[in-house]
Structures are given as C-alpha cells and as structure tokens.
Amino acid sequence: MAGEKAPRAFPIEELPGHLIGEVLTSGGLAAADLARLEATCRALRPLAEYAASKLCAARAAFAAMGPAARGGLLERCGGSWKKVLRFLQSVEQSSGTVETTSGSMQVATGRYHTLLVHDSSVYSCGSSLCGVLGHGPDTTQCAAFSRVSFPSLSCVINISASHNHAAFVLESGEVFTCGDNSSLCCGHGEVGRTIFRPMQVEALKGIPCKQVATGLSFTVILTRDGQVYTCGSNTHGQLGHGDTIDRATPKLIELFEGSTPVVQIAAGASYTFAVTDDGTVHSFGSCTNFCLGHGDQHDELLPRAIQSFKWRNIHVVRVSAGDEHAVALDALGYVWCSGERYLTESPVVGFSKQSLHICG
C-alpha cells in the first residue's frame, strides 16, 4: 500500500548468533552448504563450525562411536567439524542414494546388467536372459536405460543386483525381487521359475525393511529395526542359520535377534557381512582366500565377529563385499581389505589397513 516502507535488507551477520545457529542446525544442510556460507563471510566461521558439530552429533553413526573414536575422527579431519560432517554424510550415502545436481541416484551392477535409481524411479539396461531387468518375458536386452514398473506406487529407496537376480526396497519398507528363482534366491517360496517382473516378497509383509544385498543365488535383507533375513542357496552357510539348508523364503537370523542392531549388510559371491551399531563386523559363509577376515579358510555357518577389529578397538562403519575379497571403512576414515588380491600373488589373510584413506 501507498506510504508503507519496504522491508529493510540487512547482512546475515547482523542477526543474533543464537538465531543463526538455530537456522543452520535445523535445515538439514550439508557440509558443502556450510562451507559456502562461511566463504561468503568469514565472520560466520565459528557459527558454521558450531552448526556442523551439532549436525554431527545428531547422526546415528557418530552417536554410536566412543569418545576416543569421535576425538580421533575430529583430529584426522584437522579439527574441522565441517570435514567430519562431510565424512559422515558420505558414509550415510554409501549404502543408499546419493544427492547429485541431477537428482538423487543409486547404481547397482550385475554381471551383464545395470540398475539405476533416479529420483525414486528404477531404470535398467543390459542383458535380461534371466529376468533381471524386470521388463517382462519379451525383453531379452535393453541398450539404453528403461524404466521398471512396480505394482506399488511407493518410491524405491534401495536396490541390489547380482549375476542372476535383483532386489528392491520401497519407501514403504516392502521388498520386491525378480530374476532366476531356480535357487530360491528371490524369496517367493518353492517357485522355481524365472520371475520377469518385480514381485513383492510375501513373507516380509508387515516387516518394514531398509536395505537388500544380493549374492550369487542368495539374498540378504535388513529391516528398519536392525534384524537380518536371508533366503536362497546356502551351500557354504552364507544364510547364517548354522546349517547348509537352502531357504525358499526369508528366514530371520536368530543370532542377531535381541542383540545390537545391524546397521548395514553386504553380500559377496557366497558369503555375507553385517555391521552392527557398535561398529562390530560379523561375517559368515564361504571363506575362500580368507575373504571373511578371520585369518583362516573355514566356512562359517553362523555370524562370527571379526576379532582383529575388536582387539584394535576399531569401529567399522561400512563394509563392501566382492567375489572373494572385502573392503571395510572405519570411523577414522581408514580403509581395510581382506581376501583375494587379483593383481598380486597372494590373498590378504585377515583385514589389513591400506594406504588409501577417506577423510577430510
């Protein structure tokens, strides 16, 4: 209206410090956002650091670390809370979607095919000889990414691809699978046929899940409350039930029931890893080339904690599994490897620290 004064613009540094801090810690900012804010005004550096420290403290991975690990991580990051925050955010994204300038994305690869999540929709390309692309029986291959249809309207938040099947977790917590079910790896019971389109795993209805990991003819599922289910081939005990009996539907691993919640899973060709909230790594299944990290080559039929990490007081935050080797990332950003070294003469017996590190 006539006569009214326009709002006065003023620099952000003129705002009360406690108000700026409240804004910075409640907006879900990334470490890069805080760094850019600091670059616009050096006077805001203490507030940006304060906000980063509060955002770190709110993260589950940081809260689960002991005081020594937290202090060590801050020291490794040169005393910068923004670098600590960037590390923690990278850890969180390592098992799920990554925010990019083109939207949220996640990629998973099998032997001859690729799955892509883009803004919660799934696309696939490559060979579909056993239904892994999820496009139906008439599709044998896709030269370019094509969208996969799901019966449910929920968004896809996690995917995993193996040689012969694929698994998906929806925002609703439902799990879908497709591919060659001759080994019962898709979890749909005694259905030996190929499943050409994603089908919901009925045995997990009412059990909200958050991550899937597919090995060679078996599947591992992590629930939101930190429990682990497995199904499929169990030749080497990779299902973690204390035997070598195949499972046609997902079965709960009893050893994890009532214990420290599992926060991340990984599946190799015939073995499985599970990381618990306290930073302990459990492995089970085939131990060819020492890939389980126990220093021997005996198959493990039940989840077994890797003692070498516990003896060194190492808190592991993420693990990844290949055909016969594994890589672990600890809370200080160091990388540890175990198993087959394809470019050298001998495998790594137990987990060994590598010169590569991820931090800062």
Side-chain angles (χ1 to χ4, degrees):
M1 294 177 63
E4 288 187 355
K5 292 183 178 180
R8 182 177 71 88
F10 51 87
I12 188 173
E13 58 265 29
E14 291 185 10
L15 290 171
H18 71 277
L19 181 59
I20 298 176
E22 184 70 23
V23 171
L24 296 182
T25 56
S26 62
L29 297 178
D33 298 323
L34 294 174
R36 282 191 288 267
L37 177 64
E38 181 182 313
T40 64
C41 179
R42 298 299 296 178
L44 293 177
R45 185 180 188 281
L47 287 173
E49 277 293 292
Y50 168 79
S53 69
K54 291 299 183 182
L55 291 171
C56 288
R59 270 162 166 76
F62 189 76
M65 297 179 193
R70 296 178 195 173
L73 178 58
L74 180 60
E75 182 180 352
R76 289 259 295 131
C77 291
S80 170
W81 281 108
K82 291 188 296 296
K83 290 183 178 180
V84 174
L85 179 61
R86 182 171 64 180
F87 172 71
L88 294 173
Q89 289 173 331
S90 298
V91 168
E92 290 172 351
Q93 293 182 339
S94 63
S95 297
T97 56
V98 177
E99 295 300 325
T100 72
T101 55
S102 299
S104 60
M105 291 187 177
Q106 183 185 359
V107 177
T109 58
R111 178 172 288 177
Y112 302 118
H113 70 288
T114 303
L115 302 178
L116 166 69
V117 176
H118 183 217
D119 289 338
S120 301
S121 294
V122 179
Y123 302 82
S124 62
C125 67
S127 172
S128 188
L129 294 179
C130 53
V132 291
L133 297 187
H135 296 306
D138 298 329
T139 301
T140 57
Q141 64 180 12
C142 288
F145 279 110
S146 300
R147 186 169 181 173
V148 180
S149 299
F150 282 84
S152 173
L153 297 178
S154 295
C155 302
V156 175
I157 60 169
N158 188 256
I159 56 174
S160 184
S162 183
H163 298 337
N164 57 343
H165 71 296
F168 315 84
V169 180
L170 277 56
E171 192 174 42
S172 60
E174 298 168 303
V175 176
F176 284 71
T177 58
C178 63
D180 181 4
N181 196 44
S182 59
S183 61
L184 311 176
C185 58
C186 291
H188 300 296
E190 302 291 344
V191 180
R193 59 180 174 81
T194 297
I195 299 169
F196 288 99
R197 296 186 186 278
M199 179 187 297
Q200 184 176 359
V201 179
E202 296 288 332
L204 293 173
K205 272 191 173 181
I207 304 174
C209 301
K210 67 175 184 179
Q211 189 197 347
V212 284
T214 52
L216 182 58
S217 301
F218 73 102
T219 304
V220 188
I221 306 105
L222 176 62
T223 69
R224 289 179 184 171
D225 61 0
Q227 299 301 303
V228 181
Y229 289 77
T230 55
C231 63
S233 175
N234 196 28
T235 307
H236 301 279
Q238 59 264 42
L239 300 189
H241 302 303
D243 55 41
T244 56
I245 302 171
D246 297 346
R247 298 302 194 286
T249 57
K251 174 179 171 56
L252 176 69
I253 296 181
E254 295 179 358
L255 189 143
F256 292 126
E257 192 174 14
S259 62
T260 305
V262 174
V263 294
Q264 191 243 338
I265 53 175
S270 300
Y271 64 98
T272 305
F273 278 89
V275 182
T276 54
D277 190 48
D278 61 0
T280 301
V281 184
H282 295 79
S283 61
F284 44 102
S286 172
C287 198
T288 303
N289 284 316
F290 307 94
C291 58
L292 294 186
H294 300 299
D296 57 45
Q297 296 195 80
H298 302 301
D299 289 357
E300 298 290 340
L301 305 186
L302 287 168
R304 177 183 173 188
I306 298 177
Q307 295 301 320
S308 59
F309 284 136
K310 297 181 76 68
W311 294 336
R312 301 171 188 173
N313 200 29
I314 294 170
H315 184 113
V316 173
V317 292
R318 284 294 182 272
V319 67
S320 180
D323 279 350
E324 294 179 356
H325 68 286
V327 180
L329 175 67
D330 72 20
L332 298 184
Y334 287 107
V335 175
W336 301 76
C337 295
S338 178
E340 179 66 49
R341 294 188 293 190
Y342 293 102
L343 299 181
T344 58
E345 318 77 39
S346 58
V348 178
V349 180
F351 274 89
S352 173
K353 184 190 288 186
Q354 305 301 299
S355 57
L356 169 70
H357 63 272
I358 317 258
C359 194

